[in-house]
Amino acid sequence: IENVSTTDKTITDCRGTVHQFDMLIMATGSRPFIPENAQLHLPGRFTIRKKTDADKLKDYLDETNLPAEEQHVVIVGGGLLGLELAAALKHKKVKITIIQRASRLMERQLDRISSKLLAEEVQQRDIQIYFDNEVSTVFETDNANELEIALKSGRIITANAIVYTIGTIPNIELAKETGLAC
């Protein structure tokens, strides 16, 4: 859809065809939130939203030529997507560290007690969690496929990859251009 006219109740598609509507539902999806300093164009830095994103991470880890038990992935974000990724990688025996900005996992979905129980379960699966922390900088090392991840707390973590799973941004640009309240 290239244009929406709420006055005429029409939409114009990318071929220039105008379509009438009685009611318009905009289901435009979302994209990952990416911090300004993420530098996803550099090796070892990823976000996960689509299958192709997961494939890129898998291919990258395969190219390290390390057995899964010797690979280490840092996941930034302790929400549903980050935890799902952690579970999938842990199933392959990859070492996982989760960096969570908040003081608990899934803080928007779970109450404090449920979140604490979840964190205990995750940690029992040998997944390290750093709460109340954020990534400060990510550096490449002299070793191929290795990153040093500096946290705001001062801790440095060495890993093969970092994956940002810290939320999404709704694709509402068309709605805003149309003047719809968002």
Side-chain angles (χ1 to χ4, degrees):
I1 304 300
E2 298 287 331
N3 191 335
V4 176
S5 171
T6 54
T7 359
D8 299 335
K9 288 193 161 195
T10 60
I11 57 170
T12 307
D13 66 26
C14 61
R15 293 188 178 110
T17 307
V18 177
H19 307 269
Q20 293 282 143
F21 67 85
D22 293 317
M23 180 185 294
L24 178 63
I25 298 173
M26 297 180 80
T28 55
S30 62
R31 60 191 179 277
F33 173 79
I34 302 166
E36 288 180 24
N37 63 347
Q39 298 181 313
L40 293 179
H41 63 284
L42 295 175
R45 296 150 174 95
F46 300 89
T47 187
I48 300 283
R49 185 72 183 149
K50 308 177 274 191
K51 182 185 181 307
T52 54
D53 298 329
D55 290 341
K56 286 178 189 173
L57 174 61
K58 180 188 178 305
D59 292 346
Y60 180 84
L61 291 174
D62 288 346
E63 288 169 11
T64 67
N65 293 320
L66 294 170
E69 304 81 38
E70 293 179 27
Q71 295 173 353
H72 183 194
V73 174
V74 170
I75 299 171
V76 182
L80 188 58
L81 184 59
L83 293 173
E84 285 178 332
L85 178 60
L89 290 171
K90 195 65 188 174
H91 181 72
K92 294 188 161 292
K93 308 229 184 320
V94 173
K95 180 181 176 187
I96 303 297
T97 301
I98 296 175
I99 310 302
Q100 173 65 346
R101 179 190 220 171
S103 60
R104 57 196 179 101
L105 297 176
M106 294 184 68
E107 75 276 7
R108 291 187 179 148
Q109 294 88 357
L110 300 177
D111 62 26
R112 290 193 185 285
I113 294 170
S114 300
S115 182
K116 184 176 182 349
L117 292 171
L118 175 62
E120 289 172 3
E121 178 68 27
V122 168
Q123 288 167 328
Q124 283 177 2
R125 294 172 189 245
D126 199 27
I127 295 173
Q128 177 72 51
I129 307 171
Y130 292 105
F131 291 104
D132 297 314
N133 223 322
E134 295 180 54
V135 172
S136 174
T137 51
V138 179
F139 300 101
E140 293 177 38
T141 70
D142 292 335
N143 299 330
N145 303 313
E146 188 177 86
L147 302 171
E148 282 190 351
I149 299 157
L151 303 183
K152 292 208 173 169
S153 64
R155 180 178 301 273
I156 306 276
I157 300 170
T158 302
N160 301 104
I162 184 168
V163 183
Y164 297 90
T165 63
I166 52 179
T168 59
I169 300 170
N171 296 327
I172 58 173
E173 291 77 14
L174 181 60
K176 281 184 173 182
E177 289 169 15
T178 303
L180 297 173
C182 299

